[in-house]
Amino acid sequence: MNMIIYLISSATILFSIAYFVLIRWLLHQWRQLDDWITTTPTLPKTLVTILVPARNEAHNIRQCLDSLLQQSYPSPLLEIIVIDDHSTDATPDLVRSYQSQGVSLLMLADVLTHPTQSYKKAAITAGVALAKGTLIVTTDADCLAPRLWIHHIVQSYQAQDWQCIAGPVLFHQEENALEEFQSLDFMGTMIITGAGIYSGQLLMANGANFAYTKAAFEAVGGFSGVEERASGDDLFLLHKIAQRYPMKVGFLKQIEATTRTKAMPDLRSFVQQRIRWGTKNASYKGYQVTLVAGLVFATCWGIILTFLLSLSGSIYGILCCLLALGIKALADYRLLQEATAFFNRRDLRPAFGWAQLGHILYIALLGMASLLVQRYEWKGRRVE
């Protein structure tokens, strides 16, 4: 028993140190990434198509479309297409009420000839085929876009000649502790996303703020090869474009280009969402994302197991548990301190303490669930 405690406790210390080094490296990469500032604005000349896949979003679609129609970008150069994914509520009717303002509605049921595990990928593929824009920008139907969103995306595209652009996404308008936890977790993820893309070693993105040229989408064959993965429309496409166009992928580090949405309001929807995100890990072709996810997973499980083993009274186990927890907490504190400062969310800092414990349980338990659970429910569909 003592040998087991010694081995697990020692391994946990090593995992936590590796985690600390990883976070320090990511923060360094993030700080090296310049804030995007339009110093000498160029004349907008890029035709942009915004794609909004939507399924049963009657409660959100108006606010989303209003924010898109209020963009500062010239309206003759902006096309908005909502792809309705077999909604059973009033979503299509609400979108039709915006057609006089230039919003187009594409019914996925009219173009999809067979069932699929990934209706969102099918919706985006159909939207790209219809799009007139040189630059495709995607967001979700429950998101709000700031007025300068498209302006910053296009300016960065024209200045950097990027073929793929990832932008920040945040949760907002939190109403309970669970939503505050999600906001902190997601802000940290945005720092990691920007740092990873800048380094070229850890490619991540979020489809709620994602852009790519139509030419790049077509050149890599869209989602071919991953059509049957229910999630991952953003990550898989990012990896394919980065492989085809090295050094042509960028992260838009600009708070004015940050889209916002609401966190999951209850534990059940939160668990379903994170399991959905986690199930795509097995399909990554690059090892970096999997390696980092594995390190975080091992660190959290190590802390939990060391704590449980230390209940036997082992002084070594207790000390290792406290040390590993302290190392991880310090790394996360620095990450979230950077995130809350950049995104002007210092109001969430009082939640750092309890959120740390929640993060350990969340990573360990939901990480395990994403490995074991092959079925989950999302948007009223059963996914296998």
Side-chain angles (χ1 to χ4, degrees), residues 89-106:
D89 64 4
T91 299
D93 294 332
L94 292 173
V95 175
R96 290 188 185 96
S97 70
Y98 283 83
Q99 288 181 324
S100 62
Q101 300 179 63
V103 177
S104 300
L105 174 65
L106 173 62

Side-chain angles (χ1 to χ4, degrees), residues 54-319:
R55 174 175 168 81
N56 295 338
E57 293 287 358
H59 294 296
N60 300 308
I61 195 67
R62 281 189 179 278
Q63 294 92 327
C64 176
L65 292 178
D66 287 342
S67 73
L68 298 182
L69 290 170
Q70 292 170 7
Q71 293 296 302
S72 64
Y73 201 69
S75 55
L77 294 175
L78 190 61
E79 178 184 44
I80 302 172
I81 302 176
V82 177
I83 308 98
D84 181 76
D85 177 11
H86 304 84
S87 291
T88 57
D89 64 4
T91 299
D93 294 332
L94 292 173
V95 175
R96 290 188 185 96
S97 70
Y98 283 83
Q99 288 181 324
S100 62
Q101 300 179 63
V103 177
S104 300
L105 174 65
L106 173 62
M107 302 297 291
L108 185 59
D110 293 340
V111 296
L112 188 64
T113 58
H114 55 83
T116 177
Q117 282 291 307
S118 181
Y119 286 90
K120 187 174 182 181
K121 291 190 186 76
I124 293 173
T125 300
V128 171
L130 186 65
K132 299 175 182 177
T134 301
L135 189 64
I136 306 295
V137 181
T138 66
T139 191
D140 292 337
D142 58 357
C143 287
L144 300 179
R147 187 171 178 271
L148 294 173
W149 180 48
I150 295 298
H151 166 82
H152 285 299
I153 290 176
V154 171
Q155 291 291 324
S156 66
Y157 162 68
Q158 294 182 174
Q160 305 289 342
D161 191 32
W162 282 333
Q163 292 298 305
C164 186
I165 304 168
V169 182
L170 295 182
F171 294 132
H172 69 156
Q173 299 177 358
E174 301 87 1
E175 297 181 356
N176 55 49
L178 177 61
E179 292 178 0
E180 289 182 358
F181 170 80
Q182 293 174 74
S183 284
L184 281 172
D185 177 58
F186 220 50
M187 264 188 286
T189 301
M190 289 302 107
I191 300 291
I192 295 171
T193 299
I197 289 178
Y198 175 76
S199 71
Q201 301 300 312
L202 187 64
L203 300 180
M204 301 166 59
N206 190 298
N209 193 352
F210 196 40
Y212 39 86
T213 64
K214 183 172 182 177
F217 183 90
E218 293 173 343
V220 301
F223 300 111
S224 61
V226 293
E227 302 98 326
E228 292 307 311
R229 302 301 302 184
S231 186
D233 52 283
D234 37 31
L235 287 172
F236 293 129
L237 185 59
L238 172 66
H239 285 204
K240 293 180 72 174
I241 294 177
Q243 185 175 15
R244 179 68 178 262
Y245 300 97
M247 309 302 293
K248 291 295 184 179
V249 173
F251 181 83
L252 188 53
K253 187 181 178 182
Q254 169 57 257
I255 193 169
E256 292 180 344
T258 303
T259 57
R260 288 174 169 79
T261 187
K262 288 187 177 181
M264 294 295 102
D266 54 64
L267 188 60
R268 184 179 184 277
S269 58
F270 169 68
V271 169
Q272 291 289 326
Q273 181 193 60
R274 298 310 167 99
I275 289 178
R276 179 174 65 94
W277 291 355
T279 53
K280 61 193 173 190
N281 290 339
S283 296
Y284 292 142
K285 294 183 178 179
Y287 68 90
Q288 294 95 332
V289 174
T290 302
L291 185 63
V292 169
L295 175 61
V296 178
F297 183 72
T299 301
C300 292
W301 263 114
I303 291 173
I304 292 174
L305 292 176
T306 303
F307 169 75
L308 293 175
L309 291 172
S310 71
L311 296 179
S312 66
S314 169
I315 299 299
Y316 184 76
I318 293 172
L319 291 176

Side-chain angles (χ1 to χ4, degrees), residues 298-367:
T299 301
C300 292
W301 263 114
I303 291 173
I304 292 174
L305 292 176
T306 303
F307 169 75
L308 293 175
L309 291 172
S310 71
L311 296 179
S312 66
S314 169
I315 299 299
Y316 184 76
I318 293 172
L319 291 176
C320 285
C321 179
L322 293 175
L323 181 58
L325 179 60
I327 293 172
K328 181 184 181 300
L330 179 60
D332 289 342
Y333 173 79
R334 292 183 174 179
L335 176 67
L336 294 179
Q337 189 178 42
E338 185 85 18
T340 53
F342 179 80
F343 290 112
N344 296 326
R345 290 303 311 270
R346 292 177 177 86
D347 57 299
L348 291 175
R349 288 184 175 179
F352 280 7
W354 62 261
Q356 175 62 218
L357 298 177
H359 185 256
I360 293 172
L361 293 173
Y362 149 62
I363 293 295
L365 299 179
L366 288 188

